[in-house]
Amino acid sequence: MQRYFLKQFYHGEQEVRLQGEVYHHIAHVMRMSEGSRFYCVFLDEKACICEIKKITSDTVIARIVGWENAQKELPVHITVASGLPKADKLEWVIQKGTELGADQFLPFIAERSVVKWDAKKEAKKRERWKKIALEAAEQSHRNHLPDVSSPVSFKKLLEESRTYKHMLVAFEESAKLGERRRFAEALSKMAEGDNVLMVFGPEGGLSPGEVRLLEESGFETCGLGPRILRAETAPLYALAAISYHFELMR
């Protein structure tokens, strides 16, 4: 069944009314009719099964007929901080990272970021990123819709990190030197509900100065296996490993 995220909390209502883009998708794209069913997810991440009662010229009216109880979210809340990469690579990270369970995306402007961020296009760009996250969350049947922040400065990234319990940075030099245990050890220290910030560099990697500042701010550097991963691959590898550790091994 299709899945739609609502911009409201659940307050005990027995029916939902859907308009705008969701209405258009149900009525004109999916061509649903009375009796058709789909999922709705409220802002408090409660997911219900809805059955269409009536479709008007601008509204889908559906009654709640059941609730989804399966656990869909990672036990830990992962924020992926990516050094701004070239082209559409960040879109790939957002789409696939959402499918893999990321809680939030925090792009930042790294020293070696080749792309120049155009603040004038920020609103339009972020709107596109959020739409990509929405579609990926619907497709992968998430109960949480990841937030996608506008790119921040490296200084702002360090300030944001103070709110996290665990802070890791994927560092290719660690992999080159054969370090293979820190990431696994860091995962073993995490508990359900912990928030985790993972930093990944752009195509050219993080500069030595950035790594030094991250370490001084409490970040732990770690390798992601013996191979050097692309900027858009490393976050997905990390999320998959986290899922394996917390969901498949327990």
Short mmCIF file of all heavy atoms in Angstrom, two decimals, residues 29-62:
data_model
loop_
_atom_site.label_atom_id
_atom_site.label_comp_id
_atom_site.label_asym_id
_atom_site.label_seq_id
_atom_site.Cartn_x
_atom_site.Cartn_y
_atom_site.Cartn_z
N VAL A 29 -3.05 10.30 -9.60
CA VAL A 29 -1.90 9.48 -9.99
C VAL A 29 -2.20 8.00 -9.74
O VAL A 29 -2.11 7.17 -10.65
CB VAL A 29 -0.62 9.91 -9.24
CG1 VAL A 29 0.55 8.99 -9.64
CG2 VAL A 29 -0.28 11.36 -9.56
N MET A 30 -2.57 7.67 -8.51
CA MET A 30 -2.88 6.28 -8.17
C MET A 30 -4.30 5.89 -8.56
O MET A 30 -4.63 4.70 -8.63
CB MET A 30 -2.70 6.06 -6.66
CG MET A 30 -1.29 6.30 -6.16
SD MET A 30 -0.06 5.29 -7.01
CE MET A 30 -0.58 3.64 -6.55
N ARG A 31 -5.15 6.90 -8.81
CA ARG A 31 -6.56 6.68 -9.20
C ARG A 31 -7.28 5.73 -8.23
O ARG A 31 -7.97 4.79 -8.64
CB ARG A 31 -6.63 6.14 -10.63
CG ARG A 31 -6.11 7.11 -11.67
CD ARG A 31 -6.32 6.60 -13.09
NE ARG A 31 -5.82 7.53 -14.08
CZ ARG A 31 -6.49 8.59 -14.53
NH1 ARG A 31 -7.70 8.85 -14.05
NH2 ARG A 31 -5.96 9.38 -15.44
N MET A 32 -7.10 6.00 -6.95
CA MET A 32 -7.81 5.21 -5.94
C MET A 32 -9.28 5.59 -5.92
O MET A 32 -9.68 6.65 -6.43
CB MET A 32 -7.18 5.44 -4.56
CG MET A 32 -5.76 4.97 -4.41
SD MET A 32 -5.20 5.09 -2.68
CE MET A 32 -3.43 4.96 -2.87
N SER A 33 -10.07 4.74 -5.29
CA SER A 33 -11.51 4.98 -5.20
C SER A 33 -11.98 4.61 -3.80
O SER A 33 -11.19 4.17 -2.95
CB SER A 33 -12.24 4.16 -6.26
OG SER A 33 -11.94 2.78 -6.10
N GLU A 34 -13.27 4.76 -3.55
CA GLU A 34 -13.82 4.40 -2.24
C GLU A 34 -13.50 2.94 -1.91
O GLU A 34 -13.66 2.06 -2.75
CB GLU A 34 -15.33 4.62 -2.23
CG GLU A 34 -15.74 6.08 -2.31
CD GLU A 34 -17.25 6.25 -2.22
OE1 GLU A 34 -17.94 5.29 -1.83
OE2 GLU A 34 -17.74 7.34 -2.58
N GLY A 35 -13.02 2.71 -0.71
CA GLY A 35 -12.64 1.36 -0.30
C GLY A 35 -11.15 1.08 -0.43
O GLY A 35 -10.64 0.12 0.17
N SER A 36 -10.44 1.91 -1.21
CA SER A 36 -8.99 1.73 -1.35
C SER A 36 -8.30 2.04 -0.01
O SER A 36 -8.77 2.89 0.75
CB SER A 36 -8.43 2.64 -2.44
OG SER A 36 -8.95 2.31 -3.70
N ARG A 37 -7.19 1.37 0.24
CA ARG A 37 -6.48 1.55 1.50
C ARG A 37 -5.05 2.04 1.28
O ARG A 37 -4.43 1.76 0.27
CB ARG A 37 -6.46 0.25 2.30
CG ARG A 37 -7.84 -0.16 2.81
CD ARG A 37 -7.77 -1.34 3.77
NE ARG A 37 -9.07 -1.63 4.34
CZ ARG A 37 -9.27 -2.47 5.36
NH1 ARG A 37 -8.23 -3.12 5.90
NH2 ARG A 37 -10.48 -2.67 5.85
N PHE A 38 -4.54 2.77 2.27
CA PHE A 38 -3.17 3.27 2.23
C PHE A 38 -2.75 3.56 3.67
O PHE A 38 -3.56 3.56 4.60
CB PHE A 38 -3.07 4.54 1.37
CG PHE A 38 -4.05 5.62 1.75
CD1 PHE A 38 -3.75 6.53 2.75
CD2 PHE A 38 -5.28 5.71 1.11
CE1 PHE A 38 -4.65 7.52 3.10
CE2 PHE A 38 -6.20 6.70 1.45
CZ PHE A 38 -5.88 7.61 2.45
N TYR A 39 -1.46 3.80 3.86
CA TYR A 39 -0.92 4.14 5.18
C TYR A 39 -0.81 5.66 5.31
O TYR A 39 -0.49 6.37 4.36
CB TYR A 39 0.48 3.57 5.37
CG TYR A 39 0.54 2.07 5.55
CD1 TYR A 39 0.98 1.24 4.52
CD2 TYR A 39 0.19 1.48 6.76
CE1 TYR A 39 1.06 -0.13 4.68
CE2 TYR A 39 0.26 0.10 6.93
CZ TYR A 39 0.69 -0.70 5.88
OH TYR A 39 0.76 -2.06 6.05
N CYS A 40 -1.03 6.15 6.53
CA CYS A 40 -0.76 7.54 6.88
C CYS A 40 0.14 7.56 8.10
O CYS A 40 -0.06 6.78 9.04
CB CYS A 40 -2.05 8.31 7.19
SG CYS A 40 -2.89 8.93 5.72
N VAL A 41 1.13 8.44 8.10
CA VAL A 41 2.05 8.56 9.23
C VAL A 41 1.92 9.96 9.81
O VAL A 41 2.11 10.96 9.10
CB VAL A 41 3.51 8.30 8.80
CG1 VAL A 41 4.42 8.36 10.03
CG2 VAL A 41 3.63 6.96 8.11
N PHE A 42 1.59 10.05 11.10
CA PHE A 42 1.45 11.34 11.77
C PHE A 42 2.83 11.87 12.19
O PHE A 42 3.82 11.14 12.18
CB PHE A 42 0.55 11.19 13.01
CG PHE A 42 -0.89 10.92 12.68
CD1 PHE A 42 -1.35 9.61 12.57
CD2 PHE A 42 -1.78 11.96 12.48
CE1 PHE A 42 -2.69 9.34 12.27
CE2 PHE A 42 -3.12 11.72 12.18
CZ PHE A 42 -3.57 10.40 12.07
N LEU A 43 2.88 13.13 12.59
CA LEU A 43 4.14 13.75 13.00
C LEU A 43 4.76 13.08 14.22
O LEU A 43 5.97 13.13 14.41
CB LEU A 43 3.92 15.24 13.30
CG LEU A 43 3.77 16.16 12.09
CD1 LEU A 43 3.45 17.57 12.53
CD2 LEU A 43 5.02 16.14 11.22
N ASP A 44 3.93 12.44 15.05
CA ASP A 44 4.47 11.71 16.21
C ASP A 44 4.87 10.28 15.84
O ASP A 44 5.08 9.44 16.71
CB ASP A 44 3.48 11.71 17.37
CG ASP A 44 2.06 11.36 16.94
OD1 ASP A 44 1.89 10.90 15.80
OD2 ASP A 44 1.14 11.56 17.74
N GLU A 45 4.93 10.01 14.53
CA GLU A 45 5.43 8.75 13.97
C GLU A 45 4.51 7.56 14.19
O GLU A 45 4.91 6.42 14.06
CB GLU A 45 6.85 8.45 14.47
CG GLU A 45 7.83 9.56 14.10
CD GLU A 45 9.26 9.28 14.50
OE1 GLU A 45 9.54 8.15 14.98
OE2 GLU A 45 10.11 10.17 14.33
N LYS A 46 3.24 7.84 14.53
CA LYS A 46 2.23 6.79 14.57
C LYS A 46 1.75 6.54 13.14
O LYS A 46 1.41 7.47 12.41
CB LYS A 46 1.05 7.20 15.45
CG LYS A 46 1.36 7.29 16.93
CD LYS A 46 0.10 7.65 17.70
CE LYS A 46 0.31 7.57 19.21
NZ LYS A 46 1.19 8.65 19.69
N ALA A 47 1.72 5.27 12.74
CA ALA A 47 1.32 4.92 11.37
C ALA A 47 0.01 4.14 11.41
O ALA A 47 -0.11 3.14 12.12
CB ALA A 47 2.41 4.09 10.70
N CYS A 48 -0.96 4.59 10.62
CA CYS A 48 -2.26 3.94 10.60
C CYS A 48 -2.62 3.49 9.18
O CYS A 48 -2.07 3.98 8.20
CB CYS A 48 -3.34 4.87 11.14
SG CYS A 48 -3.59 6.37 10.16
N ILE A 49 -3.56 2.55 9.13
CA ILE A 49 -4.11 2.10 7.85
C ILE A 49 -5.43 2.84 7.64
O ILE A 49 -6.30 2.86 8.52
CB ILE A 49 -4.35 0.59 7.85
CG1 ILE A 49 -3.04 -0.15 8.11
CG2 ILE A 49 -4.97 0.14 6.53
CD1 ILE A 49 -3.22 -1.63 8.35
N CYS A 50 -5.56 3.47 6.49
CA CYS A 50 -6.77 4.25 6.19
C CYS A 50 -7.52 3.65 5.01
O CYS A 50 -6.92 3.09 4.10
CB CYS A 50 -6.39 5.69 5.86
SG CYS A 50 -5.67 6.61 7.24
N GLU A 51 -8.83 3.78 5.08
CA GLU A 51 -9.70 3.32 4.00
C GLU A 51 -10.54 4.50 3.51
O GLU A 51 -11.17 5.20 4.31
CB GLU A 51 -10.62 2.20 4.49
CG GLU A 51 -11.49 1.60 3.39
CD GLU A 51 -12.31 0.44 3.92
OE1 GLU A 51 -11.77 -0.67 4.01
OE2 GLU A 51 -13.50 0.65 4.25
N ILE A 52 -10.53 4.73 2.21
CA ILE A 52 -11.21 5.89 1.64
C ILE A 52 -12.73 5.77 1.79
O ILE A 52 -13.32 4.76 1.40
CB ILE A 52 -10.84 6.07 0.16
CG1 ILE A 52 -9.35 6.38 0.02
CG2 ILE A 52 -11.67 7.20 -0.47
CD1 ILE A 52 -8.88 6.48 -1.42
N LYS A 53 -13.34 6.82 2.37
CA LYS A 53 -14.78 6.91 2.47
C LYS A 53 -15.37 7.70 1.31
O LYS A 53 -16.42 7.35 0.76
CB LYS A 53 -15.18 7.60 3.78
CG LYS A 53 -14.90 6.79 5.03
CD LYS A 53 -15.14 7.62 6.30
CE LYS A 53 -16.54 8.19 6.36
NZ LYS A 53 -16.77 8.97 7.60
N LYS A 54 -14.65 8.77 0.94
CA LYS A 54 -15.21 9.66 -0.07
C LYS A 54 -14.07 10.47 -0.70
O LYS A 54 -13.11 10.83 -0.03
CB LYS A 54 -16.23 10.60 0.57
CG LYS A 54 -16.95 11.52 -0.41
CD LYS A 54 -17.97 12.37 0.34
CE LYS A 54 -18.71 13.28 -0.63
NZ LYS A 54 -19.71 14.15 0.08
N ILE A 55 -14.20 10.76 -1.99
CA ILE A 55 -13.27 11.63 -2.68
C ILE A 55 -14.06 12.77 -3.30
O ILE A 55 -14.95 12.55 -4.13
CB ILE A 55 -12.48 10.89 -3.78
CG1 ILE A 55 -11.66 9.74 -3.18
CG2 ILE A 55 -11.56 11.86 -4.52
CD1 ILE A 55 -10.90 8.92 -4.20
N THR A 56 -13.77 14.01 -2.86
CA THR A 56 -14.44 15.18 -3.41
C THR A 56 -13.54 15.82 -4.46
O THR A 56 -12.54 15.24 -4.88
CB THR A 56 -14.74 16.20 -2.29
OG1 THR A 56 -13.51 16.79 -1.83
CG2 THR A 56 -15.45 15.53 -1.12
N SER A 57 -13.87 17.02 -4.86
CA SER A 57 -13.09 17.71 -5.90
C SER A 57 -11.71 18.14 -5.41
O SER A 57 -10.82 18.41 -6.21
CB SER A 57 -13.85 18.94 -6.41
OG SER A 57 -14.08 19.85 -5.34
N ASP A 58 -11.52 18.20 -4.08
CA ASP A 58 -10.21 18.63 -3.57
C ASP A 58 -9.78 17.92 -2.29
O ASP A 58 -8.75 18.26 -1.70
CB ASP A 58 -10.21 20.14 -3.33
CG ASP A 58 -11.19 20.56 -2.24
OD1 ASP A 58 -11.97 19.70 -1.75
OD2 ASP A 58 -11.18 21.74 -1.87
N THR A 59 -10.55 16.92 -1.84
CA THR A 59 -10.24 16.28 -0.56
C THR A 59 -10.50 14.78 -0.61
O THR A 59 -11.49 14.34 -1.20
CB THR A 59 -11.11 16.88 0.58
OG1 THR A 59 -10.92 18.30 0.62
CG2 THR A 59 -10.73 16.28 1.93
N VAL A 60 -9.59 14.03 -0.01
CA VAL A 60 -9.80 12.60 0.22
C VAL A 60 -10.16 12.43 1.70
O VAL A 60 -9.41 12.85 2.58
CB VAL A 60 -8.54 11.77 -0.10
CG1 VAL A 60 -8.74 10.32 0.34
CG2 VAL A 60 -8.24 11.83 -1.58
N ILE A 61 -11.32 11.85 1.96
CA ILE A 61 -11.76 11.59 3.32
C ILE A 61 -11.65 10.10 3.58
O ILE A 61 -12.22 9.29 2.84
CB ILE A 61 -13.22 12.06 3.54
CG1 ILE A 61 -13.35 13.54 3.18
CG2 ILE A 61 -13.65 11.80 4.98
CD1 ILE A 61 -14.79 14.03 3.13
N ALA A 62 -10.86 9.73 4.59
CA ALA A 62 -10.62 8.31 4.86
C ALA A 62 -10.76 8.03 6.35
O ALA A 62 -10.44 8.88 7.19
CB ALA A 62 -9.23 7.91 4.37
#
